[in-house]
Each structure stands twice: as C-alpha cells, then as structure tokens.
Amino acid sequence: MKHFAIITLINVMIFCSGVLFGQTNSSRPSVNTTKPSSVNTSKPSKKAINTSRPMKPANAKPVKSGGKAEVDKAVAKDFVKHVEYLSDDKLMGRETGTEGEKMAYEYIVREFRKDGIQPKGTNGYLQEFTFYKGMKANEMNVISINGLPYNMEKGWYPLSQSANASVRGKVYDVNFGITAPELNHDDYKGRRKLNGKILLINLSNPNETNPHSEFAPYNGINYRVETALKNGAAGIIFYNSSDFLKDPDAKYKIKTERFDIPVVFLKEDLKKNLKKIKKAQLTVNLTEDVGRGNNVIGYIDNKARNTIVIGGHFDHIGMGHFGSRWTGKPEIHNGADDNASGTAMLIELAAALKDEKYNSSNYMFIAFSGEEMGLYGSKHFVKNPTVPLQSINYMLNYDMVGRLDEKNTLIVNGVGTSPQWEVISTLDRPGIGDLKTTESGVGASDHTSFYLEEIPSIHFFSGTHNDYHKPMDDAEFIDYDGIHAIYNFSLSLIDELQDDGRLEFTKTKDDNQRSAPKFTVTLGVMPDYTFETGGMRIDAVTKDRPAEKAGIEDGDIVIQMGDHRIGDMMAYMEALSKFKKGDKTKVKVKRGEKEMEFEVTF
C-alpha cells in the first residue's frame, strides 16, 4: 500500500520513476525492474522504525481516547500467529501469481474454514482473476534491412504497439512523424506516395531539449502510429536521436494499445546507417504473458438485507522486482505491516462477527491479491461480484495497521464518502490516541475500487515508516497492542452503525490534485517518499550519478537547489524541471544538524 499523503506522487512515480531513480522501465516506483538470476534469502540488517507522524487536526472533536485497549488473549495470540506465518521467508514475499501467494491464500482459507466462515468465491473460497505480466518476443521476430537479416540481438526490438504481422516494402523517412498545424509543422506535407510503405520515424521532436516544449503533446508513440496509419503506413521503424528522451519500453511491462501494422525500434547498432535504409522487411510475433491471482472470499449469511464488506490485501512485492524502496541486492520483502497486519485483522474480525450480537447485517470478508500491482483483485471483484453490489452497505479496508506511532495515531481515510462516518470521531477508542482523517475516497488501496462503485468506503491505516516496501518490514517490528486496539475500535464502529440502516454515499473531492511537473534530469537518488515536510530526504544515492559525484550521501535532506527552495517531494520535482542536461547548480542539504552545500552537474 502507498501512503495517502503521496498518492499523487506515486502516480507521478509510475511515469517518472526512471528519471527519479535512474531506471528505464517501470509501471510503479521501482528499484529493480529485472528478475534476479538467483534468489538470496538472507535478510539485511534491520533499521529503526521512523516514528515521525502528523499531528492531530485542529478541528478534531474531543473524545475519550488513550489508555490500554482491552485484550482478548486468544485473539492476541492469533494476531501473532497470522502475521508471523504470512510474513515468513518461506512465502517469498507473497507476490501475486507465485507459490508464495498460493501458500498465503491456502492459509486464509484454512482459517476461514476453521471459524465457520462460508465460502463465497467462484471456486469455493477463491475468485481467480488474470493480470498482464508483459509480452514475450520469440525467435520468429526478424527484420531485414536492404536484404540483410538481423535478429533481436543485433540492435532492434518490436514495440508493444505492434501487430503480429509481416510487411515488406520501401522505406520512407518522415522525420518526426508529427502533424501539428497550430505549430506550423507537418512532417507529412507534400508526401503523397506513402500508401503501403514502411515509415522511418524519429521519436525526438523539433524542440527536444525543452521539457515544456510545445511539441510535448506529440511525443507519444501511439499518436505517431495513429498519424502514420492515417497517411497509409504499412509498417513503422522508430529510432531515437535524442539524448534527452528515453528509448521506448523494451520489457513490455506497460500494457498498450496494439495497432494493425508491425512497429519496431532500432537501437544504436542499427541506427548508424539510417540514411542508407532503402527497403526493409519486418516480422513481429509477440505473445502476451498472462498471470493468474486469487482473491479469498468468505461470508456470514445472517439473512439480512445489507452486506458489509471487510477487506484487506494479502499480496506483497515478492523479491522487490517492482515497487521496492530497497537499493541493495534483491531480498525477500516479507510485508509484515504491508499487509500481513491487515490480513490478520480480516481473519480475526471474521471470527468475531460470528457473534449473534452483530446479526443485523451479512458480512463478506475479502482478502485481495494483486493490490501491489494495481488493485487487480478488488477491481476484478467489483466488476464480478459474488453478491449484488447494490446489497453492499459499506466497505472497511485494512491496509498497514501494524505500526501505530508513539502517540498511537490512527489514520482513517475516506470519511467523506458518507456523512455517517462522522461517528468515528465520537467513539471511545482505548489504546488509540490521535485520530487523523482524510475525506477522499480515492487512495492507493482497495477501498478505492468500492468507492468508484458509489459504496461508502474507509481505510484504516497506522501510518508509514522507513521500512515500508523494504526487506526490513518484518514481524518483529509489529505493534500487536496497536492492532488489537484497532480491532476493538472496528467492532465498536460496526456495532454503532447497526441501527443506521443504509449509509448515504457522497462523492468526494480528490485530495491529491496537484499536477506533477515534467523534468529530464535527476540527482540520481532514491527519495524517501514517507518523508512529508521540510525537504526531500534521500533514502539512497545511486553510484556514479550526479548526487554521489558531488558528495551527497544517504540520509541527506535536500532543502534547496539553485534558487529553488525544496519543501517537499513535489517541490523537488518542480525544481528538477528547471534544469537540463549539462547544467550546474548548488544543492543545499541538511545532514544531521548541519547545512551543507554541493555543486552538482546534471
């Protein structure tokens, strides 16, 4: 799960992580986008938990809070058992579609069955879904230029926009392949004999060094393929002459629209003789790699009119091939807080809600998979529900509930999705101190899928920490008293709402609408995006990149770049957008209590 206060930044990372972290292809913030050749199961040394947290809102209502939560010893023991099993090394990080995911869902099924929770999936307790894993290019992919054949090791690869097809013909250079009448630019003007031809297109643009160029809207591959098709293209050979623009995705991690013609990209080896290309044959054969994951769905049928959904994802990021904040060698990411803690909560709430005192509603318990890849499991459920969606009254989501801070702060996201959620701030909450709420129903966890179906949905969250999406998120750091306090508070909330009937749904304004700037340079660092204010804290410095060469170190907090003050992550990216390759600037950082200045060359 990703922290609510940085949802926009995380969406930015989807597109900009290559610039920020020195990677080239990623659909999510990532440290390592390639799978290691061997698995290393040794654990890195643990790091201290970051206990810096937001303060209680000024307008929070006074309530009874603090004190010790009442603890059921059997439940407490089970919380430990669930978290320790689900975050054990043998589950290899519970990545969706792996044996570790299977071991996790089999455990959840056993617990549901033991507690008398009915199956409500499409195959017993399970609900299978598919997800896009990428594409594979086999040896059938060949191009021939001027009669000479080249396999993919010789400097080219098919693009994911390509059809599985073959074409032979003359090659015509159409420069950037851009038609922009409002900019008085048309690379197709005067070229009337392109029908059935293979077009050679430069992925750069006439103003490539300016990240805010007026040509930026025309940079996309899809746009250029569509424009080429309108001009009669039967195939496309792309190349990139720019040092400022990245080459297209060669790992097929991002699913794209596929067109009706072969589309390929020439790398350095073959683009040296572009002017000599007169004719070519392109043969492309790509197969989609489909993965399969499983939600686990249990049900308590009280013959009631309304159903309450209680959810939490049980998958994690495996060895950290995607989404990891770890910069060392690949390690198992056990995800004890994210989200063995929420899965343990789901299992124990299911057992508790069997009590007849809660029988005014039916209860559905969904352990989602595929959350870390992009809410695949919850999206699949709301499109393929196993109870009518209109029967669902509200949804409670538990994602990262295992590390309350020293003030026992509980964050509840999505309270704006129904006016009845106001009751949350009035309930007694032993063991929970400060209560922080956010309005938006849109967030980086599974409640979002239900909110988008106009179902009141909230997300319980104990806060971020420095071990988030790192191998150090292990069971030894879990605050079990805190989990128990949230468990008790949840039961109080469910009980309180029993007499309220249907909750009224309200749409919310997205709390994270600040748009992200475009930039073409980087310091070469891994930002700590759990660090909220007072600069941009560096989690790790990448070797041989500008920051390291200048003397900047892990843990430094960037507070100024040139004339630009850095107050947070967004300000850092805004500052980066002001520089281009080759620029020099002074970067001021805070190291401990000292302020230091370094000269950086981008």
Side-chain angles (χ1 to χ4, degrees):
M1 175 254 160
K2 291 193 162 41
H3 181 26
F4 73 95
I6 54 164
I7 293 164
T8 297
L9 292 181
I10 289 159
N11 289 333
V12 170
M13 303 296 184
I14 292 174
F15 299 103
C16 300
S17 59
V19 178
L20 282 172
F21 308 149
Q23 306 292 326
T24 55
N25 290 291
S26 177
S27 60
R28 286 168 66 104
S30 178
V31 173
N32 187 345
T33 57
T34 58
K35 293 192 175 184
S37 57
S38 61
V39 172
N40 188 327
T41 57
S42 62
K43 300 301 293 180
S45 60
K46 310 298 179 186
K47 294 192 178 180
I49 299 170
N50 182 357
T51 56
S52 175
R53 293 292 179 271
M55 298 293 288
K56 184 177 181 179
N59 61 352
K61 297 179 183 179
V63 296
K64 289 184 257 180
S65 64
K68 283 200 98 172
E70 183 180 339
V71 174
D72 181 312
K73 291 183 179 179
V75 173
K77 185 177 179 181
D78 281 345
F79 274 130
V80 175
K81 181 186 77 168
H82 302 326
V83 172
E84 288 188 345
Y85 179 84
L86 291 167
S87 61
D88 192 281
D89 279 359
K90 65 186 177 185
L91 273 69
M92 296 293 289
R94 309 187 307 278
E95 183 178 339
T96 303
T98 67
E99 181 63 24
E101 182 217 30
K102 182 173 183 286
M103 292 174 69
Y105 72 60
E106 286 177 343
Y107 178 85
I108 300 166
V109 166
R110 287 196 298 272
E111 293 298 314
F112 279 175
R113 187 177 287 124
K114 182 183 72 176
D115 292 330
I117 307 301
Q118 301 173 26
K120 202 66 174 177
T122 52
N123 178 22
Y125 290 96
L126 302 182
Q127 182 189 42
E128 187 181 78
F129 60 89
T130 60
F131 60 94
Y132 175 81
K133 289 181 67 176
M135 303 186 86
K136 295 178 181 177
N138 56 37
E139 66 280 357
M140 294 172 65
N141 291 272
V142 179
I143 69 172
S144 122
I145 295 175
N146 297 335
L148 295 176
Y150 297 91
N151 59 31
M152 285 193 297
E153 284 72 39
K154 294 293 184 181
W156 76 281
Y157 53 90
L159 296 186
S160 56
Q161 288 85 354
S162 179
N164 286 346
S166 183
V167 65
R168 176 187 295 176
K170 292 183 178 179
V171 176
Y172 280 75
D173 187 344
V174 292
N175 202 8
F176 303 112
I178 293 173
T179 296
E182 72 279 14
L183 301 177
N184 197 29
H185 182 98
D186 188 356
D187 288 316
Y188 290 95
K189 188 175 181 180
R191 302 176 189 268
R192 299 179 181 176
K193 298 181 179 179
L194 299 179
N195 210 42
K197 303 299 189 294
I198 298 170
L199 303 188
L200 184 65
I201 299 177
N202 185 354
L203 278 176
S204 186
N205 68 60
N207 192 8
E208 65 179 31
T209 61
N210 181 2
H212 305 290
S213 164
E214 64 275 23
F215 287 97
Y218 299 94
N219 280 345
I221 293 175
N222 284 20
Y223 159 76
R224 300 201 210 197
V225 174
E226 289 170 352
T227 305
L229 281 167
K230 289 176 184 176
N231 285 275
I236 299 174
I237 300 173
F238 281 113
Y239 68 97
N240 182 13
S241 68
S242 173
D243 292 329
F244 298 92
L245 300 174
K246 293 182 197 174
D247 289 347
D249 175 25
K251 299 182 183 299
Y252 312 112
K253 294 299 181 186
I254 301 172
K255 191 169 187 176
T256 61
E257 180 181 358
R258 298 189 73 178
F259 294 90
D260 295 330
I261 59 174
V263 183
V264 305
F265 178 76
L266 296 188
K267 295 188 287 186
E268 290 295 329
D269 293 357
L270 289 182
K271 79 178 187 184
K272 295 173 184 175
N273 299 312
L274 291 173
K275 298 298 181 185
K276 297 180 181 179
I277 299 178
K278 302 301 180 185
K279 60 182 181 178
Q281 179 175 346
L282 316 178
T283 299
V284 174
N285 191 293
L286 294 171
T287 56
E288 189 167 314
D289 191 6
V290 176
R292 299 182 184 277
N294 281 275
N295 296 326
V296 186
I297 308 176
Y299 193 63
I300 297 174
D301 186 1
N302 288 320
K303 309 300 180 186
R305 186 175 181 181
N306 295 324
T307 296
I308 297 167
V309 171
I310 296 173
H313 75 92
F314 71 92
D315 65 302
H316 197 49
I317 59 174
M319 294 292 292
H321 310 308
F322 65 94
S324 177
R325 297 175 57 239
W326 176 244
T327 57
K329 61 186 178 181
E331 306 281 357
I332 299 172
H333 289 56
N334 282 323
D337 186 29
D338 186 14
N339 186 38
S341 66
T343 307
M345 182 73 71
L346 173 82
I347 294 169
E348 290 306 303
L349 285 174
L353 291 169
K354 289 278 290 182
D355 192 312
E356 63 180 17
K357 70 180 281 190
Y358 300 107
N359 66 5
S360 63
S361 296
N362 308 316
Y363 299 94
M364 174 168 276
F365 307 94
I366 313 178
F368 301 107
S369 192
E371 190 270 356
E372 298 287 5
M373 293 178 170
L375 312 187
Y376 277 103
S378 57
K379 286 177 182 177
H380 179 82
F381 175 83
V382 297
K383 299 304 178 188
N384 304 273
T386 58
V387 296
L389 279 185
Q390 59 267 29
S391 72
I392 298 176
N393 188 2
Y394 60 85
M395 190 267 190
L396 306 179
N397 180 37
Y398 296 87
D399 191 354
M400 295 178 65
V401 291
R403 288 195 181 185
L404 290 178
D405 66 10
E406 75 284 356
K407 294 183 179 179
N408 292 329
T409 305
L410 176 64
I411 300 162
V412 184
N413 299 315
V415 298
T417 62
S418 176
Q420 281 98 321
W421 292 132
E422 290 180 2
V423 72
I424 289 171
S425 61
T426 69
L427 295 175
D428 188 16
R429 49 179 193 270
I432 296 171
D434 290 350
L435 184 69
K436 182 179 176 66
T437 62
T438 68
E439 296 284 318
S440 179
V442 175
S445 191
D446 292 303
H447 61 291
T448 300
S449 300
F450 289 79
Y451 165 75
L452 294 175
E453 298 295 329
E454 300 191 348
I455 296 169
S457 306
I458 56 174
H459 164 212
F460 292 88
F461 178 41
S462 60
T464 56
H465 46 81
N466 198 42
D467 295 338
Y468 164 71
H469 276 208
K470 290 182 179 178
M472 291 77 80
D473 181 10
D474 279 333
E476 64 192 83
F477 294 132
I478 293 298
D479 171 16
Y480 291 103
D481 288 341
I483 292 181
H484 215 118
I486 298 169
Y487 164 83
N488 290 340
F489 183 62
S490 299
L491 291 174
S492 296
L493 175 62
I494 292 167
D495 192 28
E496 183 70 23
L497 292 173
Q498 283 197 98
D499 297 330
D500 284 25
R502 295 283 295 185
L503 268 60
E504 177 188 349
F505 173 78
T506 52
K507 287 189 176 181
T508 64
K509 181 181 178 182
D510 185 357
D511 295 334
N512 303 280
Q513 292 181 333
R514 192 175 172 191
S515 60
K518 295 179 179 178
F519 51 92
T520 61
V521 295
T522 175
L523 285 178
V525 300
M526 168 73 83
D528 175 2
Y529 47 90
T530 68
F531 190 80
E532 294 184 347
T533 57
M536 187 280 289
R537 184 182 179 279
I538 296 171
D539 212 22
V541 175
T542 305
K543 188 174 180 177
D544 296 329
R545 302 300 299 278
E548 193 217 32
K549 290 178 180 178
I552 296 171
E553 297 179 357
D554 297 358
D556 286 350
I557 300 170
V558 178
I559 56 176
Q560 187 161 342
M561 294 173 63
D563 297 328
H564 311 288
R565 295 292 299 176
I566 310 299
D568 56 19
M569 185 67 188
M570 186 67 79
Y572 166 65
M573 291 191 291
E574 287 171 350
L576 282 177
S577 72
K578 310 299 181 185
F579 299 100
K580 63 182 184 297
K581 188 175 180 180
D583 284 353
K584 293 183 178 181
T585 193
K586 300 287 186 182
V587 175
K588 188 178 290 185
V589 306
K590 192 171 181 181
R591 184 177 294 170
E593 297 302 315
K594 288 184 181 180
E595 287 191 3
M596 306 175 72
E597 192 172 80
F598 301 89
E599 183 172 84
V600 168
T601 302
F602 291 106

